[in-house]
């Protein structure tokens, strides 16, 4: 049987609960819907993260393969071109050990003719410049490009090295057009066209161009005409 004391006790418990929130059920439904949405977004992000990591792994694997293939090709060309530019000696390219090939340092060692093998940083300025050119030409030989721009790369070179540089330019010009910014007259002599910037009036720049190929043709025609005239005079006598 229910006693008055029991009823009073239950009444006090009910009062201790405070006012009833009649909107709690509706609020729960809203929060539940929001939670379900966020969990769905989380699952999508986790899935996308996994797909991206898988794609990055595949790309890095392919990149490593292509890099090592190209690196070995360039390394093979580099030694031969270095030997031509320096008229002897040897050079090599190596990757630092214990590193991912995509993040490894490239170590350049060179031994010009008559010297011992050493790191490129220990070479003279002209030797470093010529070694860098050998590497650049090796890259172009591995993957030819339609044009190449050199900005005063011949500045540290002496006359003998300039001649070697010019001969290499002439060889590669069959596949690549070179645009060279230079102050060296020997390099200019090897060009087919010259473009200079002059200032005839203060503050006013003017571009002057010379087509050396056309000039050579004109001179050759004049020489040919001179030989023909000389032959005619000999015959007349």
């Amino acid at each position: 049987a229910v006693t008055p004391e029991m009823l009073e006790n239950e009444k006090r418990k009910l009062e201790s609960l405070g006012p009833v929130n009649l909107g709690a059920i509706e609020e729960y439904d809203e929060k539940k819907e929001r939670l379900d949405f966020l969990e769905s977004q989380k699952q999508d992000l986790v899935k996308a993260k996994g797909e991206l990591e898988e794609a990055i792994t595949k790309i890095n694997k392919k990149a490593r393969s292509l890099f090592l293939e190209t690196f070995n090709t360039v390394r093979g060309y580099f030694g031969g071109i270095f030997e031509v530019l320096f008229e002897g000696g040897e050079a090599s390219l190596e990757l630092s050990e214990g590193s991912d090939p995509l993040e490894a340092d490239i170590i350049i060692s060179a031994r010009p003719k008559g010297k011992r093998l050493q790191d490129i940083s220990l070479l003279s300025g002209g030797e470093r410049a010529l070694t860098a050119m050998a590497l650049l030409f090796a890259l172009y030989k591995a993957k030819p490009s339609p044009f190449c721009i050199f900005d005063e790369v011949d500045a540290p070179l002496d006359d003998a090295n300039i001649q070697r540089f010019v001969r290499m330019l002439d060889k590669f010009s069959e596949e690549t057009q070179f645009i060279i910014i230079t102050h060296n007259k020997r390099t200019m002599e090897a060009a087919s066209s010259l473009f200079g910037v002059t200032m005839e009036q203060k503050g006013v720049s003017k571009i002057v161009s010379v087509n050396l190929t056309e000039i050579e043709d004109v001179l050759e025609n004049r020489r040919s005409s001179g030989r023909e005239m000389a032959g005619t005079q000999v015959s007349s006598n």
Side-chain angles (χ1 to χ4, degrees):
V2 178
T3 64
E5 290 79 5
M6 294 175 62
L7 289 174
E8 186 65 24
N9 186 42
E10 295 299 325
K11 182 178 180 180
R12 284 195 299 269
K13 289 181 180 181
L14 182 62
E15 289 175 352
S16 68
L17 293 176
V20 177
N21 182 6
L22 300 178
I25 297 177
E26 182 179 352
E27 184 178 353
Y28 169 80
D29 292 337
E30 292 177 356
K31 298 298 183 183
K32 181 66 167 59
E33 182 180 357
R34 176 64 177 169
L35 177 62
D36 293 342
F37 172 76
L38 291 176
E39 288 182 343
S40 175
Q41 292 293 303
K42 177 184 176 182
Q43 292 175 1
D44 290 343
L45 289 173
V46 170
K47 180 181 179 182
K49 177 185 176 183
E51 292 175 348
L52 285 174
E53 289 177 343
E54 183 180 355
I56 291 173
T57 300
K58 291 181 179 179
I59 291 172
N60 284 342
K61 182 179 180 180
K62 183 67 174 178
R64 289 188 190 94
S65 176
L66 292 175
F67 172 78
L68 290 174
E69 179 182 348
T70 303
F71 179 80
N72 289 328
T73 301
V74 172
R75 178 166 56 183
Y77 289 138
F78 175 62
I81 294 175
F82 179 92
E83 187 175 350
V84 171
L85 284 174
F86 281 86
E87 296 182 347
E90 59 180 319
S92 65
L93 297 177
E94 300 294 340
L95 295 175
S96 57
E97 297 181 359
S99 301
D100 185 333
L102 298 179
E103 299 178 0
D105 295 331
I106 297 177
I107 302 171
I108 303 176
S109 299
R111 184 185 66 80
K113 187 177 181 179
K115 296 186 177 182
R116 60 184 178 83
L117 189 67
Q118 55 190 346
D119 188 88
I120 186 176
S121 62
L122 301 177
L123 300 178
S124 67
E127 289 171 337
R128 286 200 301 268
L130 212 59
T131 302
M133 289 177 195
L135 178 57
L136 181 59
F137 283 124
L139 290 170
Y140 268 85
K141 192 171 181 62
K143 189 174 180 61
S145 176
F147 68 90
C148 173
I149 299 177
F150 284 146
D151 186 1
E152 297 190 35
V153 295
D154 54 355
L157 304 181
D158 57 23
D159 288 346
N161 287 333
I162 285 290
Q163 291 300 323
R164 300 170 189 169
F165 170 62
V166 167
R167 286 197 297 268
M168 191 63 66
L169 283 178
D170 184 60
K171 180 179 179 180
F172 276 83
S173 62
E174 298 175 0
E175 298 180 349
T176 300
Q177 181 179 11
F178 290 93
I179 301 172
I180 305 175
I181 301 171
T182 183
H183 295 285
N184 191 287
K185 294 180 180 179
R186 293 184 179 274
T187 303
M188 295 180 192
E189 290 174 356
S192 58
S193 297
L194 292 177
F195 296 88
V197 179
T198 184
M199 188 178 293
E200 295 181 351
Q201 300 179 15
K202 186 175 182 180
V204 180
S205 298
K206 180 180 179 181
I207 297 178
V208 179
S209 63
V210 178
N211 190 320
L212 298 181
T213 303
E214 293 180 356
I215 293 177
E216 289 179 358
D217 292 341
V218 171
L219 294 176
E220 181 61 28
N221 290 334
R222 289 181 178 178
R223 285 193 292 266
S224 298
S225 299
R227 286 193 294 269
E228 291 177 358
M229 291 180 63
T232 302
Q233 291 174 357
V234 171
S235 299
S236 299
N237 295 332

